[in-house]
Structures are given as C-alpha cells and as structure tokens.
Amino acid sequence: MNSETLEASLRQLVGGSNVLAGPPGGPALVVRPGTTEAVAECLKLFHGQQAPVVALGGLTGLVHGTHTPSHYFGISTERLNKFESFDPNTRLVVVGAGTKLVAVHDFAADHDLRYGVDLGARGSCTIGGNIATNAGGNSVIRFGMTRSNVVGLEVVLSDGSILTDLRGLPKNNAGYDLKQIFIGSEGTLGVVTKALLKLSRRPAGTASVALALNHLDSALVVMEAIERACGHTLLAMEIMWNRYFEKVSTALSAEPPPLPLGHPVYLLAQVEGMDSGEQAVDSLVGALEGIDDIIDSALATTPVQESGTVRNSVREAGFVIG
Ligand SMILES: Cc1cc2nc3c(=O)[nH]c(=O)nc-3n(C[C@H](O)[C@H](O)[C@H](O)COP(=O)(O)OP(=O)(O)OC[C@H]3O[C@@H](n4cnc5c(N)ncnc54)[C@H](O)[C@@H]3O)c2cc1C
C-alpha cells in the first residue's frame, strides 16, 4: 500500500476532517480518532503497513517525545476527551485520554473534590500525556506521581488489540498489575485511550509560607519540622537558591517578592486544612515555632495572598522536593 492509499484508508476510517497535517518537528500526517475502536482500527492499519506511529496529546512535553521524522504518522487523542462515568461514592472517574488536565480539575471542583496531579501545563496537557510521562507536578509530596492517582487504564496496543482494566478495585492482588508498565512508558507500548482516576476530598483551606534561610542545612531542619507537624497535610514544598528565587519572584512575576532578595536559601511550603483554613495556618505556624535558622518569613493565609508570588513560584516552577 503506498502512502496515498494509506491516507485514503485513514480518511475512510476516521473521516476526512480528522486527517490533518502534523505539528512542526513531528509526523507529517495526524489522525484524530474519536473512539477507542477507531484508534484500534488505525493502529491495525499502521501495523499492517509497518508504518511508524507516535501518540500525540497536548504537545507540552519538554523532552521532545512527540518529535519524529516526518514519515511517522501521528495519532492525536484530541477527540478522546469525554467524561465517561463518575461514581461519587468511590470518587472514581473514567475520562478519555485526550481530556485536558484542567478539565479534570474543573470536573472535580464541580463535585467538591479535587484531582491530585497539578502542573503548569494544566491548560494544555492531557491525561493520556500525563500518564505516558508519569508526570509529577507541584503536589507530589501529598499525592505522589501520576502513577499513584491512576486506578485503571484502557490501552490500544500497536497491533490494534485493546486492553481494558477500568474496574477500580482498590484491594486487588490478582496477578500482574499491567497498567503500571504503561504509566511512564512515553507511548512506546501502546496508546492510552481511557483512564480511571482517583479524586479526593478538597481541603477547606490552605496556607503557604515563604522562608529565608542561611544554609541548605537549615532548609532540611525546616522541612523535617513541617513534615513532622503537618504530616499528610503538607501539600507542596520547594527549596530554592537565591538566584533562582530572584528570577521567579521578579522576572516571572509582577508582584513584589514576598521576602527581601539576597538571602542564601529560600523555602516555600504549602499546607492544607481539611476542616478550616485556620487549621492550616495553625499547623504551619506551630511547626515553625522555635526554629532559630529562619531569617525571615512571609505567611500567606488567604487565597488572594497565596495566588501572589508565593503560590505562583510553587506552581510554575514544577520542581518539588518529594
Ligand atoms: C509549563 C509546564 C510545566 C510542566 N510541569 C511539569 C511538572 O511539574 N512535572 C512533570 O512531570 N512534568 C511537567 N511538565 C511536562 C509534562 O510531563 C507534560 O507537559 C505533560 O505530562 C505531557 O502531556 P501532553 O498531553 O502535553 O503530552 P505530549 O507532549 O503530547 O506527549 C508527551 C509524551 O507522551 C506520549 N503520549 C501522549 N499521549 C499519549 C497517550 N494517550 N497514550 C500514549 N502515549 C501518549 C507522547 O507520545 C509523548 O511521548 C511540564 C510542562 C510544561 C510545559
């Protein structure tokens, strides 16, 4: 089959408007199947022709995983973006792999819940891409990597066979946990088409603190104290050298820095209060009491304060100590 015939077969499978030119630096031709079965048919076709394929999510990956020679074919998950089912009792939701991360956050918020994975690319990256890269993000300390938030998967293998495990049984030691080899496999083992994700209760409030410290050792002392006092309510923590702190709190932000520049080390921590915002503030302040190594501190106790430099630094930097 020559490339024109292959393209014609793809048009027949997914409709002409879903066969498109590829992104710069990637495959020349991209298909956008709208169902798992259509993904399987496309992959069968490519497999039969031994045509190389790459899965495309939101194209936000930072390591060029979707960059290929132009003779590759792309399978975009853009149309696999539906919320398939939701069980409020188990808080498990089945979403299409092309669903944007931000849409999952919005869905969770609409049900007074939240999804544990959050990263700067949330508005563009997809759940399938997060799974393929086992993305971490800014709440890794609290929720773990994407792996810890995925309960089941549906995947199409390169020959078109479909593997489905969307059962969501938490206590399940029956045989191999196959989903784990697909999480973090960067699309090399198959195309993720659906995922069963775990949502959880939202906290009533959060509190963040920015600290200036003399030395990295002081940061470790503070980190240990916060972890001891706040335990699983510690949502995010980041240690920054002074030049980095200066950059994220000046060049990347219109707000004034939360602390004077020039101290050797800075630390940001965010803690949540499941029952109230005051709970978060109290546990954070309690954790820091009596620590001599702190030169200066700025506490953000309201969402408005948190959405300033302190919070943006944590959220956008993406390098969370975990
Ligand atoms: C501002 C910003 C902040 C970020 N912060 C973090 C962070 O804090 N932590 C972190 O870990 N990463 C971070 N990243 C990188 C992050 O891993 C990716 O942005 C995201 O997870 C990739 O999703 P995507 O849909 O854009 O995938 P793409 O970029 O489209 O693809 C990434 C890889 O996954 C494969 N893939 C995509 N969809 C599927 C699928 N359905 N099935 C199989 N394979 C698939 C692709 O082939 C490619 O190899 C950040 C990126 C940006 C731009």
Side-chain angles (χ1 to χ4, degrees), residues 250-275:
T250 55
L252 301 180
S253 172
E255 308 279 334
L259 292 170
L261 303 176
H263 294 299
V265 176
Y266 293 84
L267 184 146
L268 284 167
Q270 189 177 32
V271 164
E272 57 191 15
M274 292 313 292
D275 300 319

Side-chain angles (χ1 to χ4, degrees), residues 34-297:
T35 62
T36 301
E37 290 68 31
V39 172
E41 289 305 316
C42 291
L43 282 171
K44 253 185 229 164
L45 192 60
F46 293 133
H47 190 68
Q49 299 305 309
Q50 300 201 330
V53 183
V54 64
L56 307 175
L59 306 180
T60 67
L62 300 170
V63 294
H64 309 304
T66 54
H67 288 204
T68 66
S70 59
H71 69 280
Y72 272 58
F73 289 86
I75 291 206
S76 163
T77 58
E78 196 178 339
R79 292 171 67 219
L80 304 173
N81 60 356
K82 301 191 179 48
F83 287 81
E84 307 270 340
S85 66
F86 171 60
D87 180 345
N89 296 316
T90 58
R91 301 181 193 134
L92 296 175
V93 61
V94 178
V95 300
T99 307
K100 299 262 190 290
L101 176 59
V102 71
V104 175
H105 285 295
D106 291 347
F107 178 89
D110 287 346
H111 294 83
D112 202 25
L113 296 169
R114 63 174 158 175
Y115 176 56
V117 179
D118 185 28
L119 43 111
R122 66 185 79 78
S124 309
C125 67
T126 63
I127 292 299
N130 295 165
I131 290 168
T133 57
N134 189 24
N138 51 45
S139 306
V140 162
I141 290 182
R142 174 79 170 85
F143 292 102
M145 306 287 284
T146 293
R147 188 183 296 289
S148 313
N149 297 271
V150 174
V151 180
L153 279 188
E154 179 185 78
V155 183
V156 183
L157 305 186
S158 63
D159 66 354
S161 25
I162 301 172
L163 296 184
T164 307
D165 182 1
L166 297 168
R167 283 171 300 170
L169 196 61
K171 189 171 181 184
N172 179 3
N173 57 358
Y176 301 109
D177 188 358
L178 279 180
K179 70 174 175 297
Q180 297 300 347
I181 64 165
F182 292 99
I183 301 173
S185 66
E186 299 260 357
T188 54
L189 300 178
V191 178
V192 176
T193 46
K194 287 180 194 163
L196 179 65
L197 305 177
K198 187 165 60 178
L199 306 182
S200 59
R201 265 183 70 205
R202 287 169 84 75
T206 56
S208 297
V209 72
L211 302 175
L213 305 163
N214 261 328
H215 199 271
L216 181 61
D217 288 347
S218 314
L220 300 179
V221 169
V222 169
M223 204 166 106
E224 213 273 320
I226 296 179
E227 274 193 324
R228 190 155 19 87
C230 303
H232 70 278
T233 65
L234 175 58
L235 191 58
M237 184 176 281
E238 184 176 358
I239 297 169
M240 293 170 285
W241 305 116
N242 56 6
R243 284 179 55 201
Y244 178 79
F245 179 77
E246 184 174 341
K247 181 144 191 171
V248 294
S249 60
T250 55
L252 301 180
S253 172
E255 308 279 334
L259 292 170
L261 303 176
H263 294 299
V265 176
Y266 293 84
L267 184 146
L268 284 167
Q270 189 177 32
V271 164
E272 57 191 15
M274 292 313 292
D275 300 319
S276 68
E278 291 76 41
Q279 198 181 40
V281 177
D282 290 349
S283 65
L284 194 50
V285 171
L288 300 175
E289 250 167 26
I291 300 180
D292 300 332
D293 309 44
I294 298 170
I295 305 170
D296 204 349
S297 65

